[in-house]
Amino acid sequence: MLRRAVLLALALDTLGEPPAWAHPVVWMGSYLKAARSRWRGSTPAGQLAEGAAGWAGGVALSAGAGVLASRLPWPVQGVLLKPLLARRALFAAVQEVHDALAAGNLPEARRRLSWHLVSRDTATLDASGVAGAAIASLAENISDSVVAPLLAARVGGLPLAAAYRFTNTADAMWGYRTPELEWPGKVAAHADDVLNLGPARLTAGCALLAAGGRGWRVWARDRRATPSPNGGHPMSAFAGALGVRVEKRGVYVLNAAGRPPLPADLPRALALARRTLLLAAGGVMLPGTWRTP
């Protein structure tokens, strides 16, 4: 049963990540790098077509691998689904940032933040800015890295979970509004937006429930304040629940009336994330119609 495979994947995720050579997300990244190296389009239309073709090819390969995997016994399916989740890696990354801040090592906290969690320049962030960025990344990635693949597995089994993870990885690598990526990454970015519509809102709702309803006014007001149609939902829910102001300079401000985040807020954010995931996973795992392998 697929439900058993999902439960096994959740259990295995407590053990950490497989080595890079055996990690399907690493393989997806290698494919995306190779596809990007072959782009030759000189017009927006040509670049859009190349990016769309690269994304579609990767989705087909990922979903095809998922179809083959779904024919295997459920314990094997659970082992193969596990790398599509990243709960332990995400929590460990946030904990590393906290440890560096708690030790008073701001340069190291900035380095760990940029290495594990964000793509923005962290060189000018103070301790509060680093803590706020880590909270925002934690909230958004709970949806992207755990809730979304679980929900995809519930709806479409391993094929959809693999296709989702590829699309999310493509967005992370190609979905930037830079001269080089503006057009080639557009299809992957929009596909990722569509696939995350449900997970982002489920994550936000579970975070508000986990916080006893605290933060719902902030979520109702600020959920659309981010450029992403999805990221603002879990981020604003976390900002409101924790009572902190979360911002990306020149881009968004969530819970403007909140206090500046402190390093001590990161353990609180992790505790909220654990409760949020417990509720979300419980909802996904509710009995009902499950795709059979």
Side-chain angles (χ1 to χ4, degrees):
M1 295 287 292
L2 179 60
R3 190 163 180 259
R4 294 178 184 175
V6 173
L7 287 170
L8 177 59
L10 284 168
L12 291 174
D13 193 46
T14 63
L15 302 178
E17 298 299 313
W21 61 265
H23 205 306
V25 178
V26 175
W27 303 343
M28 292 173 185
S30 297
Y31 168 92
L32 289 162
K33 289 178 183 177
R36 180 173 175 176
S37 70
R38 295 185 176 91
W39 291 345
R40 297 292 183 270
S42 58
T43 65
Q47 293 169 5
L48 182 67
E50 286 182 332
W55 168 78
V59 165
L61 289 171
S62 300
V67 170
L68 295 175
S70 66
R71 298 173 181 171
L72 300 172
W74 72 262
V76 181
Q77 291 186 46
V79 171
L80 295 176
L81 177 60
K82 182 269 159 261
L84 304 182
L85 312 175
R87 183 203 60 83
R88 176 168 174 171
L90 173 62
F91 285 17
V94 175
Q95 186 64 51
E96 286 182 13
V97 173
H98 170 262
D99 291 346
L101 288 174
N105 193 341
L106 181 57
E108 180 63 10
R110 290 169 175 162
R111 186 189 71 81
R112 294 183 182 185
L113 177 68
S114 63
W115 181 258
H116 294 298
L117 295 170
V118 302
S119 58
R120 73 177 91 166
D121 182 9
T122 62
T124 62
L125 293 179
D126 59 11
S128 179
V130 169
I135 290 170
S137 181
L138 173 65
E140 185 173 20
N141 279 293
I142 286 172
S143 176
D144 290 358
S145 298
V146 189
V147 177
L150 286 177
L151 198 56
R154 172 71 191 251
V155 172
L158 281 171
L160 185 57
Y164 166 78
R165 176 50 68 202
F166 175 82
T167 299
N168 186 248
T169 305
D171 178 53
M173 295 180 66
W174 291 0
Y176 296 95
R177 291 190 169 179
T178 62
E180 186 178 4
L181 293 172
E182 170 72 23
W183 291 101
K186 198 171 287 293
V187 171
H190 285 305
D192 185 69
D193 287 342
V194 171
L195 291 173
N196 276 301
L197 287 172
R201 287 149 183 80
L202 174 61
T203 302
C206 289
L208 295 173
L209 285 174
R214 292 189 307 276
W216 74 267
R217 288 187 177 88
V218 173
W219 167 79
R221 183 187 65 236
D222 293 346
R223 66 189 188 276
R224 297 189 182 95
T226 61
S228 163
N230 299 314
H233 283 266
M235 288 194 293
S236 62
F238 265 64
L242 296 170
V244 298
R245 173 188 174 105
V246 172
E247 65 179 306
K248 184 177 181 180
R249 278 178 240 169
V251 181
Y252 61 75
V253 178
L254 306 175
N255 193 19
R259 61 173 174 78
L262 303 170
D265 289 313
L266 290 181
R268 295 177 60 227
L270 285 168
L272 176 59
R274 292 186 184 96
R275 297 195 301 271
T276 298
L277 285 179
L278 185 63
L279 289 172
V284 170
M285 296 306 299
L286 283 174
T289 301
W290 276 82
R291 244 189 101 193
T292 55

